[in-house]
């Protein structure tokens, strides 16, 4: 059950992803678990440029990218939607292939592999990979726990979100300190649990249990 929960969490985080640059998939300082993931183009326009940039190669193999992009941009704007669709379809196909390979690479990696790669990514100032094994720091204070409780009331949740926040904030400010402490203690306990779980996770990954 725990493994299934981890996979679901990872899948959710991946589905929120939009774009991963080649720089982040192919670091120069170490081999990433994303090394075999094909790049994901940003758009049909990018695919069009990639496919035609070679047409501007000079005899010595060099390409004036600025000039080529300018001319290709003019050509792209003059194309019909039907002509552009060819590149849009190719973009969608490559994006799907990239996403599937990205998800497979991450879901196939062991907790230890993810931990060690993210250490390297921190060291070289690269974006860390989503790791469902790492305990998540609670981003909730006492007020947020009060708001969470308020939202268990169906009538309250019928209100617009901004109004919910405004009402809850006013009520929370006016709570007696003794009642407010209940929610502050919940937040404190959650943070304490996070620190405990994080220390346990780090000890497990570093073999210092």
């Amino acid at each position: 059950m725990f493994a299934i929960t981890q996979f679901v969490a990872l899948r959710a985080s991946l589905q929120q992803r939009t774009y991963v640059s080649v720089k982040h998939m192919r670091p120069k300082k170490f081999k990433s678990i994303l090394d075999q993931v094909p790049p994901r183009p940003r758009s049909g326009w990018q695919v069009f440029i990639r496919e035609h940039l070679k047409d501007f190669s000079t005899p010595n193999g060099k390409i004036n990218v600025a000039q080529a992009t300018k001319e290709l941009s003019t050509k792209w704007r003059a194309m019909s939607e039907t002509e552009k669709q060819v590149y849009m379809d190719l973009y969608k196909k490559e994006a799907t292939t990239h996403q599937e390979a990205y998800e497979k690479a991450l879901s196939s990696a062991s907790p230890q592999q993810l931990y060690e790669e993210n250490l390297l990514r921190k060291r070289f100032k690269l974006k860390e990979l989503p790791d469902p094994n790492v305990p998540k720091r609670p981003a909730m204070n006492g007020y947020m726990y009060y708001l969470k409780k308020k939202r268990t009331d169906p009538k309250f949740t019928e209100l617009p979100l901004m109004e919910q926040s405004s009402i809850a904030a006013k009520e929370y400010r006016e709570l007696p300190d003794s009642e407010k402490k209940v929610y502050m203690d919940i937040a404190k306990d959650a943070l304490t649990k996070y620190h405990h779980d994080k220390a346990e996770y780090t000890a497990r990954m570093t073999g210092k249990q």
Side-chain angles (χ1 to χ4, degrees):
M1 178 61 74
F2 179 65
I4 294 175
T5 302
Q6 284 187 314
F7 177 77
V8 171
L10 176 61
R11 179 85 183 190
S13 67
L14 293 177
Q15 289 176 340
Q16 295 173 0
R17 231 179 29 79
T18 55
Y19 178 77
V20 180
S21 69
V22 174
K23 173 185 175 182
H24 287 281
M25 293 194 300
R26 315 272 195 278
K28 294 181 179 180
K29 301 292 185 178
F30 62 91
K31 185 173 181 178
S32 170
I33 61 177
L34 302 180
D35 187 62
Q36 298 302 311
V37 175
R40 176 187 185 276
R42 290 177 182 266
S43 63
W45 155 244
Q46 188 184 61
V47 173
F48 174 73
I49 288 183
R50 184 194 69 203
E51 294 296 301
H52 293 280
L53 202 57
K54 60 182 179 292
D55 299 337
F56 293 84
S57 178
T58 59
N60 62 9
K62 294 184 178 180
I63 297 176
N64 185 328
V65 177
Q67 182 61 33
T69 301
K70 181 179 179 181
E71 292 185 29
L72 287 172
S73 179
T74 299
K75 184 175 180 179
W76 176 262
R77 288 196 297 269
M79 289 168 59
S80 68
E81 291 304 313
T82 300
E83 292 173 317
K84 290 180 180 179
Q85 191 61 46
V86 173
Y87 300 96
M88 291 300 298
D89 290 344
L90 188 55
Y91 154 69
K92 292 176 182 178
K93 180 180 179 181
E94 291 184 15
T96 298
T97 299
H98 163 85
Q99 184 70 17
E100 290 175 349
Y102 181 89
E103 292 184 14
K104 182 178 180 180
L106 290 186
S107 61
S108 299
S110 69
Q112 191 68 38
Q113 286 176 307
L114 285 170
Y115 173 77
E116 292 176 356
E117 171 144 343
N118 279 334
L119 284 181
L120 290 169
R121 286 177 172 273
K122 286 179 183 178
R123 177 181 175 186
F124 296 113
K125 297 180 173 58
L126 295 172
K127 183 178 179 181
E128 293 179 43
L129 302 179
D131 185 352
N133 308 289
V134 179
K136 301 299 184 290
R137 184 185 183 93
M140 296 176 68
N141 53 24
Y143 160 70
M144 293 302 295
Y145 281 102
Y146 177 76
L147 178 60
K148 182 180 179 180
K149 181 181 178 182
K150 290 284 294 181
R151 284 177 172 162
T152 60
D153 180 354
K155 291 185 178 180
F156 184 76
T157 56
E158 290 176 359
L159 299 172
L161 289 177
M162 289 297 292
E163 189 173 348
Q164 291 179 32
S165 299
S166 178
I167 291 173
K170 182 176 183 300
E171 291 180 355
Y172 186 74
R173 285 194 302 269
E174 295 174 353
L175 283 178
D177 289 345
S178 59
E179 292 184 35
K180 193 177 294 185
K181 184 177 182 299
V182 172
Y183 301 99
M184 294 173 66
D185 285 347
I186 293 174
K188 182 179 178 180
D189 290 345
L191 187 59
T192 299
K193 182 179 185 303
Y194 160 76
H195 286 305
H196 174 272
D197 291 346
K198 184 66 181 295
E200 189 177 69
Y201 164 79
T202 302
R204 188 167 63 252
M205 291 298 102
T206 57
K208 295 181 180 180
Q209 283 186 314

